[in-house]
Amino acid sequence: MTEVATAARRPYLLAGKRAWVLGLLVAAVLCASALRLSPAQLIPSGSGFALLREFAWAALTPALDYEAPVPEGTAPLALKVLDSLRSTLVFAAAGLSLAVAIGLPLGALASTAWWSRAADDSLPRGGVRKLSVPVLFLALRTWIAGMRSIHELLWAVLLLAALGLTPFSAVCAIAIPYAGTLAKVFSELLDEAPRDGADALRDAGASRLQAFLFGIVPRAVPDLASYVFYRLECAVRSSAVLGFFGFPTVGYHLQLAFDNQHYHEVWTYLWALIAVAFLFEALSSSLRKRVVLR
Amino acid sequence: MSASDRSAAVEVLWRQRPRSRLLRGVLLALGAWTALAWASPELDLAGFLSERRASNLATFLQTELVPFSLRGTDWGPRELASWVLGAWRRVGADSTFATLQIAVVAMALAALAAAPLALGLARNFARREPFARSQGAVADGSLGWRATRGAARVSAILLRAVPEYILAFLLLAVLGPRTAWPAVLALALHNAGILARLGGEVVENLDPAPLRALSSTGSRRPGLVIFGVGPLTLTRGLLLFFYRFETCVREATVLGMLGVVSLGYWIQDARAKQYYDEVLVLVLFGAALVLAADLTSAVARYSIRRRS
């Protein structure tokens, strides 16, 4: 009641969610002025403008063959593009599958279904447990947050420095932050899944692990599967960008073509990447329609 | 019911379970592709476990990550803390705040651009009579509206199909590295695509009854948006905004590596000089910023959800 009364007294623009919108707009203007951004800077200079025009033209006419002569015996451009796409998908699939293997157990452990005090008899009782449970839970959550708070490219920087340019660095660079994100989302999905099935199983004498595996996990599987599929799309993008660090994915060839000013070739790679995104989009939307919404 | 009856009934239920050929095909393809990926010589798993690699890693962890001024000295937590503080004062503070500012401006621009796109691709709004009871092909079949929806949908996909990093790389060449615009624009464009798609779903899931009431009293499209769709989608819109904000901060950190002033710029700078102690501390500053943004987002989402 009191909250309603105070909300009514506040000025119109500061009440409830409007305050958020207004606050965000003010923050954005302040940040823009701190960065000294002005719309006038968006107009490219003479050379930038020429580049933009060249670039726009290249977008409509992507290269179907190399723009400059290549040594005898070089594979045609189309094959090279397909091969870079294949590499991109290899790194994405390896990285994401490793992330799933790490992230799912972590997420299951970090779910409150596991750590809540109620009906918990698998952990030691008494003072040790009172102290150890919140500490362990917090440590686990912090670990997961740490994994995903560092961007995959920064993991790549660290891993490249530590291990050198080996393909497995790229796989790990994708796998670590993605495992953190998957663990977080999975634990949230498990927390939000209805508990009635698990309670019934517990009442029927199932162990805690059985109730968790057969009562809670299946309720979260459809959402989880659709999220993993979405992350696969993200992993393809990450993997493409990792090419900028020397791995043989789309980004590598794109940067090379750009540095050689072969803008039509740049667009061939870009369109190839966009085509993959369209494919994933079409697949995931038809899957969602048939599976999740049923 | 005897045991055999029961197992027969279970058998029948099992055979009647929902099945989708598409789902099976996709799962099979994904599994096969993953297996092929791990088996492919490209990953060079055997070459990974070499002796040189191990000694590389040992040097990296034992020497290169140790702050340069502390190497070979007898240092403890206090010396380390003062070194970290020094790094924060030198480059950390300014670039961390610049990273945050880039993310905030980019997200605000993304939200502003995503709103019209989301309306344009929503099947229940972008048609002749918005929110009217569906009359099959007649209500939304006009070519103009179908083209509008298609264009909005395609541009949303195009915007988010290109990774921010590549967008920023291209924009940098056009706009030059003098300002933060390449990073801001790249983040704004990519996130506009994502927000538009998610926002379009929010509009499509709106309860049409109050909106029909509004249009029956004579509201045209602008009125419907300002007094109907806007207020009804504000909560979900804010939730989406904060969901992306966290990711946007993460991305803003790395976009600097291309030459825009954010944390990434100094990370790349330290990397070029092979000062890996500095790389690590800057990466950790970025991680702290992302965790702070993560926490802010969680608090904001919680408070917005509670109030609605």
Side-chain angles (χ1 to χ4, degrees):
Chain A
M1 248 347 253
T2 49
E3 209 172 321
V4 172
T6 43
R9 262 206 309 274
R10 262 191 255 158
Y12 177 78
L13 279 174
L14 292 179
K17 283 165 280 175
R18 280 187 293 271
W20 280 107
V21 176
L22 204 66
L24 287 172
L25 281 178
V26 171
V29 171
L30 286 179
C31 288
S33 74
L35 288 170
R36 273 176 253 136
L37 293 179
S38 83
Q41 295 156 343
L42 278 176
I43 301 162
S45 59
S47 62
F49 192 72
L51 184 65
L52 188 66
R53 230 177 23 201
E54 207 174 332
F55 220 69
W57 173 239
L60 299 175
T61 54
L64 301 174
D65 201 357
Y66 293 104
E67 285 182 46
V70 284
E72 196 77 22
T74 316
L77 181 67
L79 269 185
K80 208 171 132 200
V81 172
L82 281 181
D83 196 52
S84 76
L85 272 187
R86 188 192 53 79
S87 288
T88 308
L89 290 173
V90 161
F91 282 110
L96 189 72
S97 56
L98 191 58
V100 169
I102 301 169
L104 291 195
L106 267 182
L109 275 178
S111 124
T112 50
W114 218 230
W115 296 90
S116 63
R117 295 265 162 91
D120 184 0
D121 41 20
S122 59
L123 290 160
R125 293 192 173 282
V128 180
R129 178 176 151 224
K130 261 198 193 134
L131 202 70
S132 68
V133 165
V135 168
L136 273 176
F137 179 63
L138 211 66
L140 197 63
R141 288 252 161 157
T142 315
W143 179 259
I144 291 172
M147 283 167 83
R148 75 195 151 82
S149 67
I150 296 177
H151 194 276
E152 52 269 19
L153 291 187
L154 297 181
W155 279 117
V157 166
L158 292 175
L159 288 167
L160 277 175
L163 303 170
L165 186 68
T166 148
F168 201 60
S169 303
V171 174
C172 289
I174 294 178
I176 298 170
Y178 276 59
T181 316
L182 277 174
K184 180 193 170 210
V185 169
F186 189 36
S187 72
E188 280 171 358
L189 286 175
L190 288 174
D191 288 349
E192 282 162 17
R195 294 282 164 86
D196 47 359
D199 289 345
L201 283 174
R202 287 289 282 165
D203 289 343
S207 78
R208 209 172 148 62
L209 183 67
Q210 287 169 331
F212 181 76
L213 285 181
F214 300 105
I216 295 180
V217 171
R219 306 294 273 271
V221 163
D223 280 338
L224 185 74
S226 102
Y227 186 73
V228 170
F229 199 78
Y230 163 69
R231 289 306 287 182
L232 181 61
E233 198 188 316
C234 300
V236 171
R237 279 199 292 265
S238 296
S239 159
V241 171
L242 278 170
F244 279 74
F245 289 75
F247 299 104
T249 62
V250 169
Y252 176 77
H253 300 280
L254 195 144
Q255 192 180 26
L256 219 60
F258 191 90
D259 290 345
N260 291 329
Q261 303 189 329
H262 296 162
Y263 301 127
H264 301 269
E265 279 182 36
V266 168
W267 272 99
T268 314
Y269 287 106
L270 277 177
W271 283 119
L273 199 60
I274 291 169
V276 173
F278 265 92
L279 180 74
F280 274 78
E281 167 81 17
L283 261 183
S284 86
S285 77
S286 60
L287 272 182
R288 250 200 312 274
K289 246 178 246 154
R290 276 179 223 196
V291 183
V292 180
L293 291 182
R294 180 160 25 214
Chain B
M1 199 188 234
S2 74
S4 64
D5 282 349
R6 199 156 51 218
S7 56
V10 168
E11 182 74 18
V12 170
L13 273 177
W14 175 249
R15 255 187 263 119
Q16 287 172 347
R17 73 196 186 279
R19 269 176 290 191
S20 153
R21 212 176 274 162
L22 178 71
L23 180 66
R24 285 188 166 190
V26 168
L27 282 181
L28 205 69
L30 284 181
W33 182 256
T34 307
L36 274 177
W38 279 107
S40 88
E42 186 151 23
L43 290 190
D44 190 29
L45 290 180
F48 176 69
L49 299 165
S50 69
E51 196 123 327
R52 198 168 53 85
R53 204 80 65 207
S55 75
N56 227 353
L57 181 64
T59 333
F60 182 73
L61 292 178
Q62 285 160 11
T63 351
E64 291 185 317
L65 282 188
V66 176
F68 184 71
S69 58
L70 303 182
R71 264 175 228 168
T73 64
D74 184 25
W75 56 276
R78 271 189 53 188
E79 285 79 10
L80 184 67
S82 81
W83 179 79
V84 170
L85 205 66
W88 171 256
R89 292 219 184 97
R90 237 177 327 115
V91 285
D94 284 349
S95 52
T96 304
F97 287 125
T99 307
L100 181 66
Q101 287 157 357
I102 288 173
V104 171
V105 178
M107 277 309 293
L109 288 178
L112 290 179
L117 259 185
L119 287 173
L121 58 79
R123 266 180 291 251
N124 54 356
F125 184 83
R127 61 184 200 183
R128 200 177 301 150
E129 291 171 57
F131 305 111
R133 237 171 270 281
S134 180
Q135 286 148 8
V138 183
D140 58 322
S142 88
L143 195 66
W145 283 114
R146 280 230 298 261
T148 309
R149 286 202 306 269
R153 204 164 283 272
V154 167
S155 44
I157 298 178
L158 280 183
L159 285 175
R160 72 197 177 91
V162 183
E164 296 98 320
Y165 197 83
I166 293 180
L167 263 180
F169 175 74
L170 301 176
L171 285 169
L172 197 69
V174 172
L175 295 172
R178 287 163 298 124
T179 66
W181 272 119
V184 171
L185 262 191
L187 287 170
L189 289 174
H190 183 81
N191 281 298
I194 294 177
L195 287 180
R197 198 196 123 194
L198 296 173
E201 269 169 32
V202 173
V203 175
E204 284 183 353
N205 291 336
L206 279 179
D207 176 13
L211 295 158
R212 274 180 210 148
L214 202 59
S215 69
S216 73
T217 58
S219 277
R220 323 268 320 157
R221 242 170 257 277
L224 276 176
V225 170
I226 295 170
F227 301 109
V229 179
L232 284 173
T233 53
L234 190 56
T235 304
R236 295 293 308 277
L238 278 171
L239 290 177
L240 286 180
F241 180 93
F242 281 108
Y243 155 70
R244 285 307 298 178
F245 177 64
E246 176 198 334
T247 329
C248 193
V249 173
R250 252 166 61 92
E251 290 290 339
T253 325
V254 291
L255 289 192
M257 299 182 84
L258 292 164
V260 182
V261 176
S262 83
L263 269 168
Y265 179 84
W266 297 104
I267 292 175
Q268 186 72 324
D269 185 58
R271 186 172 169 240
K273 295 177 189 153
Q274 301 207 317
Y275 293 170
Y276 287 111
D277 47 347
E278 209 160 298
V279 169
L280 181 69
V281 79
L282 290 173
V283 165
L284 291 180
F285 289 155
L289 178 68
V290 171
L291 284 182
D294 192 359
L295 205 66
T296 317
S297 283
V299 170
R301 283 160 66 92
Y302 175 76
S303 118
I304 290 162
R305 233 186 231 138
R306 207 193 42 177
R307 262 192 239 168
S308 55

